[in-house]
């Protein structure tokens, strides 16, 4: 498979767990880059790629993303590269004129109903990090909502393995409200202006259940670079975990609604 080369790293955007960078690809695209062997480890890249592919298959709007590579020919203006950062990285195309989500601009968002898809998706992948900065608005002629940043997903975030995922399955973790609690601030922006309707949430959950198949997940996982070095048995259990959560999405809708009624 052909991957774009990272021609230039311009700067570190913010000091965070994965130190995302401004970069330019050989295609000329301006992207946000997350390097291999970052502080969070390569599972952060695995999480990002799987969620990007899965979200786009489910119709959730995300910036164009993918895999690229960094090597000694990459111009490092940020002066952050070490030899162990050479290799396959994850990129996400920058959104021009992007702002962080806030209640005052909800009425301007063309696709604001997509929030409910994102809500169900977060529960599918056990995303407890939907902070306000992980939903962006492209403020051009029309405002569109984008989901970004899926580093911290799959129950134990960047340290998940088959054992913890099995624990989640065996403990019926689809019944917990941890995702709702952790994402209260961001979800609350939408809940303050938009009504949760069970029939609408069930329509989304049922469509996700049909779309999330073993074949789809195996296809996505087969695209991961071997160099990111995830044990095959852990990836097999991840497929099992995602199918388990997909099968319980209708139950998760009840969890969401019960949490909001408290």
């Amino acid at each position: 498979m052909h991957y774009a080369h990272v021609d230039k790293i311009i700067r570190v955007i913010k000091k965070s767990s994965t130190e995302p960078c401004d970069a330019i690809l050989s295609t000329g695209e301006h992207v946000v880059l997350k390097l291999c062997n970052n502080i969070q480890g390569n599972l952060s890249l695995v999480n990002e790629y799987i969620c990007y592919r899965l979200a786009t298959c489910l119709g959730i709007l995300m910036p164009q993303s993918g895999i690229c590579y960094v090597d000694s020919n990459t111009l490092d203006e940020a002066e952050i590269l070490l030899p162990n950062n050479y290799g396959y990285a994850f990129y996400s195309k920058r959104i021009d004129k992007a702002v962080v989500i806030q209640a005052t601009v909800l009425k301007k968002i063309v696709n604001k109903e997509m929030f409910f898809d994102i809500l169900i998706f977060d529960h599918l992948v056990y995303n407890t990090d939907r902070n306000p900065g992980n939903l962006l608005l492209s403020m051009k002629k029309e405002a569109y909502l984008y989901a970004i940043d899926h580093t911290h997903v799959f129950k134990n975030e960047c340290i998940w393995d088959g054992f913890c995922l099995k624990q989640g399955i065996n403990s019926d973790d689809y019944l917990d409200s941890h995702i709702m609690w952790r994402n209260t601030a961001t979800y609350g922006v939408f809940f303050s202006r938009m009504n949760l309707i069970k029939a609408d949430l069930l329509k989304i959950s049922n469509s996700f259940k049909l779309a999330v198949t073993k074949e789809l997940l195996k296809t996505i996982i087969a695209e991961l670079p071997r160099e990111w070095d995830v044990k095959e048995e852990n990836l097999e259990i991840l497929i099992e975990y995602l199918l388990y959560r997909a099968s319980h999405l209708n139950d998760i809708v009840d969890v969401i609604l019960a949490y909001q009624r408290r």
Side-chain angles (χ1 to χ4, degrees), residues 99-144:
V99 298
V100 174
I101 189 69
Q102 50 188 309
T104 55
V105 298
L106 280 186
K107 63 182 179 181
K108 299 179 181 178
I109 303 173
V110 175
N111 64 333
K112 62 179 175 292
E113 297 296 326
M114 195 184 71
F115 162 70
F116 298 117
D117 297 74
I118 294 171
L119 174 64
I120 301 298
F121 180 74
D122 283 346
H123 282 79
L124 171 65
V125 300
Y126 210 100
N127 182 14
T128 57
D129 190 35
R130 184 63 71 194
N131 64 63
N134 291 342
L135 287 178
L136 293 182
L137 292 179
S138 176
M139 300 297 288
K140 292 187 176 181
K141 290 182 180 179
E142 293 182 311
Y144 280 90

Side-chain angles (χ1 to χ4, degrees), residues 3 38 105 122 209 212 214:
Y3 299 111
N38 63 65
V105 298
D122 283 346
K209 285 168 65 176
V212 180
K214 187 173 185 178

Side-chain angles (χ1 to χ4, degrees), residues 3 42 88 221-230 232:
Y3 299 111
N42 288 342
Y88 296 105
I221 283 172
E223 296 166 359
L224 298 172
R226 291 181 179 273
E227 289 80 359
W228 286 351
D229 195 27
V230 187
E232 191 68 31

Side-chain angles (χ1 to χ4, degrees), residues 216-254:
L216 174 63
L217 295 173
K218 288 177 69 174
T219 296
I220 293 171
I221 283 172
E223 296 166 359
L224 298 172
R226 291 181 179 273
E227 289 80 359
W228 286 351
D229 195 27
V230 187
K231 291 181 179 179
E232 191 68 31
E233 57 266 32
N234 286 340
L235 291 172
E236 289 175 358
I237 297 173
L238 177 59
I239 290 175
E240 181 184 350
Y241 182 71
L242 289 171
L243 291 174
Y244 142 80
R245 290 194 66 84
S247 71
H248 286 288
L249 283 177
N250 287 1
D251 301 306
I252 287 171
V253 167
D254 288 332

Side-chain angles (χ1 to χ4, degrees), residues 8-237:
K8 183 192 298 185
I9 296 176
I10 301 169
R11 67 185 178 94
V12 175
I13 297 172
K14 60 180 178 180
K15 288 289 183 181
S16 64
S17 59
T18 53
E19 292 197 324
C21 305
D22 256 338
I24 304 292
L25 300 185
S26 55
T27 58
E29 292 174 300
H30 193 172
V31 301
V32 177
L33 181 73
K34 294 187 178 181
L35 297 166
C36 65
N37 297 315
N38 63 65
I39 296 170
Q40 290 285 303
N42 288 342
L43 277 182
S44 65
L45 309 181
V46 170
N47 295 356
E48 288 278 19
Y49 186 77
I50 291 174
C51 286
Y52 167 69
R53 289 279 285 109
L54 190 54
T56 52
C57 287
L58 296 174
I60 293 171
L61 188 60
M62 292 185 65
Q64 177 189 329
S65 303
I67 299 165
C68 54
Y69 71 97
V70 175
D71 61 18
S72 59
N73 293 315
T74 299
L75 181 61
D76 180 19
E77 292 183 351
E79 299 183 346
I80 62 164
L81 280 182
L82 298 172
N84 71 337
N85 298 132
Y86 295 161
Y88 296 105
F90 178 82
Y91 76 86
S92 179
K93 191 171 179 180
R94 286 191 66 88
I95 303 173
D96 294 332
K97 298 182 180 179
V99 298
V100 174
I101 189 69
Q102 50 188 309
T104 55
V105 298
L106 280 186
K107 63 182 179 181
K108 299 179 181 178
I109 303 173
V110 175
N111 64 333
K112 62 179 175 292
E113 297 296 326
M114 195 184 71
F115 162 70
F116 298 117
D117 297 74
I118 294 171
L119 174 64
I120 301 298
F121 180 74
D122 283 346
H123 282 79
L124 171 65
V125 300
Y126 210 100
N127 182 14
T128 57
D129 190 35
R130 184 63 71 194
N131 64 63
N134 291 342
L135 287 178
L136 293 182
L137 292 179
S138 176
M139 300 297 288
K140 292 187 176 181
K141 290 182 180 179
E142 293 182 311
Y144 280 90
L145 177 67
Y146 288 82
I148 64 166
D149 201 340
H150 297 90
T151 299
H152 300 104
V153 293
F154 307 150
K155 190 68 173 180
N156 269 23
E157 303 180 357
C158 294
I159 58 171
W160 64 264
D161 58 16
F163 178 76
C164 80
L165 297 180
K166 277 287 191 183
Q167 279 189 317
I169 294 171
N170 293 334
S171 64
D172 293 336
D173 70 359
Y174 69 90
L175 291 171
D176 72 47
S177 56
H178 195 54
I179 297 163
M180 293 293 292
W181 171 63
R182 286 284 300 273
N183 297 333
T184 295
T186 305
Y187 292 168
V189 172
F190 292 87
F191 293 154
S192 66
R193 306 289 177 93
M194 299 169 69
N195 294 324
L196 277 176
I197 300 173
K198 183 173 183 178
D200 293 340
L201 296 182
L202 287 175
K203 184 177 179 180
I204 295 167
S205 67
N206 284 325
S207 70
F208 282 14
K209 285 168 65 176
L210 289 173
V212 180
T213 64
K214 187 173 185 178
E215 291 72 23
L216 174 63
L217 295 173
K218 288 177 69 174
T219 296
I220 293 171
I221 283 172
E223 296 166 359
L224 298 172
R226 291 181 179 273
E227 289 80 359
W228 286 351
D229 195 27
V230 187
K231 291 181 179 179
E232 191 68 31
E233 57 266 32
N234 286 340
L235 291 172
E236 289 175 358
I237 297 173

